[in-house]
Amino acid sequence: MVVSVVVGGFFGDEGKGKIVSHIVNSKNISIVARGGVGPNAGHTVVIRGTKYQLRMVPSGFAGKHVEKLLIGPGVLVNPEIFLKELSVTKVKGKLFCDPKCGIITEKHINQDKTDVHLTGIVGTSGSGTGPANEDRVRRSLRLAKDIPELSEYLIDVPLIINDYIEKGKEVLLEGTQATHLSLWHGTYPHVTSKDVTAAAICSDVGIGPTAVSDVIVVFKAYVTRVGSPKADKMEGELTETETQRRGWEEYGTVTGRLRRAAPFNYNLAKRSIMLNYATKIALTKLDILFPEDRGTTDYSALSNEAKQWIEEKESKLGMRFTYIGTGPSDSEIIER
Ligand code: GTP
Ligand code: IMP
Ligand code: MG
């Protein structure tokens, strides 16, 4: 059993990209495959000092043993972003998408940026993913196989992944968005345009549930969300001034919008653990709460305050954090 799935436990931007970029090397991953909605996601990964902002290329692109980077048929592709990131990350020969990936066009982006419901009520990322998924449901959306510029990057993603699984190679499935943005399980209507829990990520890339060995749910030390209007306030949501005072301010990778912030939320976390049937959990941004612990890679070296904070969370959640982020770089992490 060699397939691990990484998903977000709150409202996205938990730092899944950073956790994935660590796991690809610590577990000798051969294939990283992206599930999730599409280029509405923005992962920031810092690899040996260089910062990459990715919307299409899987965050595990720099893994030493990675042979293939795949985008499953359930994921929407924006060809322009795909080709640009292919060149920035220098992964030609490794990066492929499935011929059945849906294609986002200017029309979808315009709709996403002008539709009153999408901009006003949902507060979407404006990347065209919702309108493209509407067309997919109507069965009128064009697919990657119809796009000449993508022809050399097409591969049967489910076939390749299942072949690697049969050979006993390690596969990592990278989810995007997060559990509470799921169209089924999230805070409807302030959600994304499909399910994004672990089960959906498997379906996006063409893997059956019995192939999965680990489901890793990623939480941040506090909760953030972007886009949806103030009417959908989070429990304990901070004012902008208080967010800044605590040093919790973050700006969206895709939209540049200030992310709204609230303290770590047990109810949301427990529900995510349940909905994804987590086998492992990860925590990021411990260093934002405890700056003296920045860069620590050894649990025993953490300050007593940080350990106490973590142990309180673990006892209430009934699970231990396997990965703990202590800085943005792929090396700033504790694994236990
Ligand atoms: P989505 O797929 O869009 O949900 O994104 P994501 O979960 O990959 O997270 P994103 O990269 O959008 O946001 C996380 C931010 O936190 C990035 O700027 C990361 O570089 C940063 N980050 C991740 N882990 C840590 C950490 O442990 N400490 C600090 N200080 N920053 C971190
Ligand atoms: P859409 O997915 O662009 O349609 O946006 C729907 C909602 O999900 C909005 O509140 C977005 O801000 C949010 N969202 C979508 N993708 C992400 C993500 O990757 N990180 C954080 N929020 C996201
Ligand atoms: Mg993000």
Side-chain angles (χ1 to χ4, degrees):
M1 301 288 269
V2 287
V3 179
S4 309
V5 188
V6 175
V7 294
F10 289 139
F11 297 101
D13 307 319
E14 295 87 357
K16 297 178 287 295
K18 180 246 168 70
I19 297 294
V20 165
S21 62
H22 167 76
I23 295 177
V24 283
N25 287 322
S26 74
K27 286 192 77 181
N28 289 349
I29 301 291
S30 300
I31 285 195
V32 187
R34 250 208 60 178
V37 184
N40 49 347
H43 299 296
T44 301
V45 291
V46 183
I47 296 165
R48 291 181 295 278
T50 308
K51 186 167 165 177
Y52 298 88
Q53 294 197 311
L54 305 172
R55 297 172 60 186
M56 295 263 45
V57 169
S59 306
F61 76 94
K64 290 198 261 312
H65 302 280
V66 170
E67 295 165 24
K68 291 213 162 48
L69 298 163
L70 305 175
I71 300 176
V75 181
L76 293 162
V77 169
N78 177 323
E80 200 182 311
I81 299 174
F82 177 97
L83 295 169
K84 188 167 141 235
E85 290 183 5
L86 173 81
S87 131
V88 169
T89 52
K90 304 188 176 71
V91 289
K92 194 163 181 179
K94 284 189 188 175
L95 179 67
F96 298 92
C97 67
D98 193 89
K100 291 180 178 164
C101 288
I103 295 295
I104 297 172
T105 62
E106 260 331 291
K107 177 195 89 169
H108 301 120
I109 296 172
N110 286 339
Q111 273 177 283
D112 208 7
K113 287 185 172 161
T114 53
D115 181 274
V116 173
H117 176 70
L118 295 179
T119 56
I121 306 293
V122 187
T124 66
S125 63
S127 53
T129 49
N133 272 337
E134 283 181 42
D135 281 356
R136 181 106 193 199
V137 173
R138 280 172 52 82
R139 281 135 298 164
S140 60
L141 187 67
R142 279 204 303 166
L143 303 184
K145 66 182 172 58
D146 306 319
I147 309 294
E149 305 90 84
L150 292 179
S151 59
E152 59 180 306
Y153 307 109
L154 301 181
I155 210 167
D156 185 335
V157 167
L159 186 70
I160 297 277
I161 301 185
N162 282 284
D163 182 48
Y164 269 64
I165 295 173
E166 288 299 310
K167 290 182 178 139
K169 294 201 176 189
E170 294 272 347
V171 173
L172 184 69
L173 308 188
E174 188 177 319
T176 60
Q177 290 74 47
T179 306
H180 296 284
L181 287 178
S182 161
L183 183 60
W184 305 153
H185 305 291
T187 52
Y188 187 91
H190 312 289
V191 294
T192 192
S193 53
K194 60 184 241 205
D195 183 26
V196 283
T197 58
I201 302 303
C202 293
S203 157
D204 286 341
V205 304
I207 283 183
T210 55
V212 174
S213 39
D214 263 329
V215 173
I216 303 159
V217 178
V218 183
F219 299 106
K220 187 151 61 179
Y222 46 91
V223 185
T224 58
R225 76 177 300 177
V226 277
S228 55
K230 302 277 185 217
D232 189 36
K233 259 201 169 37
M234 294 179 288
E235 198 183 319
E237 188 170 316
L238 307 180
T239 60
E240 265 186 50
T241 320
E242 181 59 14
T243 305
Q244 266 147 4
R245 194 190 66 76
R246 295 191 189 192
W248 293 6
E249 77 271 24
E250 296 181 10
Y251 295 89
T253 312
V254 176
T255 58
R257 293 180 292 195
L258 179 69
R259 295 173 180 162
R260 297 188 278 122
F264 189 95
N265 185 308
Y266 290 107
N267 291 334
L268 293 175
K270 279 189 182 156
R271 185 123 185 122
S272 280
I273 288 172
M274 178 189 83
L275 289 168
N276 294 290
Y277 212 79
T279 60
K280 289 182 179 160
I281 52 174
L283 178 74
T284 62
K285 295 220 165 181
L286 184 69
D287 56 297
I288 301 295
L289 302 191
F290 304 97
E292 71 271 34
D293 293 304
R294 169 92 186 240
T296 304
T297 54
D298 175 7
Y299 187 81
S300 62
L302 286 176
S303 62
N304 286 335
E305 292 76 13
K307 281 190 202 151
Q308 221 170 24
W309 188 95
I310 289 171
E311 281 154 26
E312 189 195 352
K313 304 291 163 300
E314 292 181 338
S315 99
K316 288 198 181 158
L317 297 176
M319 283 184 89
R320 215 165 99 111
F321 293 108
T322 303
Y323 305 99
I324 300 171
T326 57
S329 177
D330 57 339
S331 59
E332 293 174 308
I333 191 163
I334 296 165
E335 181 172 353
R336 34 181 208 150

